[in-house]
Amino acid sequence: MTEQTYCDRLVQDTPFLMGHGRLSEQQVDKIILQLNRYYPQILSNKDAEKFRNPKASLRVRLCDLLGHLQRSNERDCQEFYRALYIHAQPLHRCLPSQRTLRPMAFLACLGLAAGLALLIYCCPSDSKVLPRARRVLGFSPIIVDRHVSRFLLAFLTDNLGGL
């Protein structure tokens, strides 16, 4: 399975970002200013003025900006996502391209939890490894996604008394 590039993600996320009320005018302006000030090679002053033109509607300006970025290189798209994360973090978490990455993270966490559970199950009870593994497994719900934590806590309810 090939990994999506930032430009591919931008093409996938454009309809979502163009949705009514997703990005406010202030957020779009902050993203444009960040791309212009910190990375003038991404957005020149002329481009930034065009995308920040108050006479054009927000939807038109956003459409022009996203089209400009889709025609640019991978680094430009990556910097757009960085600016989007900084200025619109709740929206960044809801992007369609972000949702496609989550199952892999879930499977990785589930694999880690299963490995620790197997270690606890197979390790002899007189070993010093067992209490340490239980501590790691006991604290892992703090780190792991809430869906996995329910299963880990259910597994540990009988075993936490010895910590």
Side-chain angles (χ1 to χ4, degrees):
M1 187 167 99
T2 60
E3 193 172 320
Q4 275 188 319
T5 65
Y6 285 97
C7 292
D8 294 339
R9 287 176 57 190
L10 188 59
V11 169
Q12 181 184 357
D13 293 335
T14 294
F16 179 80
L17 291 168
M18 292 297 298
H20 180 68
R22 299 263 192 227
L23 283 168
S24 70
E25 193 163 342
Q26 292 83 13
Q27 289 171 322
V28 172
D29 285 343
K30 287 178 183 179
I31 290 169
I32 292 169
L33 286 174
Q34 180 172 345
L35 293 176
N36 175 245
R37 287 184 184 156
Y38 296 114
Y39 308 100
Q41 62 276 18
I42 296 174
L43 284 183
S44 65
N45 288 335
K46 182 180 176 184
D47 289 333
E49 287 175 16
K50 175 182 146 188
F51 298 137
R52 293 189 70 220
N53 182 6
K55 294 178 182 174
S57 72
L58 175 62
R59 185 171 176 83
V60 170
R61 294 186 299 144
L62 185 57
C63 183
D64 290 345
L65 173 66
L66 295 175
H68 173 80
L69 290 170
Q70 287 174 5
R71 291 185 299 275
S72 60
N73 61 28
E74 180 71 13
R75 187 174 149 271
D76 297 355
C77 294
Q78 182 179 5
E79 294 305 328
F80 168 77
Y81 276 102
R82 181 174 292 146
L84 183 67
Y85 180 79
I86 291 169
H87 300 293
Q89 194 171 12
L91 180 69
H92 186 271
R93 284 191 299 251
C94 298
L95 291 171
S97 63
Q98 289 293 101
R99 288 192 212 130
T100 59
L101 300 176
R102 287 187 185 145
M104 293 304 289
F106 173 77
L107 291 175
C109 292
L110 187 61
L112 175 68
L116 288 172
L118 187 62
L119 177 67
I120 288 174
Y121 180 75
C122 294
C123 192
S125 60
D126 60 341
S127 173
K128 292 184 179 190
V129 175
L130 187 58
R132 291 182 187 144
R134 279 195 180 140
R135 279 193 197 112
V136 170
L137 194 55
F139 286 112
S140 62
I142 297 169
I143 302 166
V144 182
D145 192 21
R146 62 185 153 101
H147 301 294
V148 177
S149 67
R150 287 189 216 136
F151 297 111
L152 290 175
L153 289 174
F155 177 76
L156 288 174
T157 52
D158 296 331
N159 297 328
L160 284 177
L163 289 178

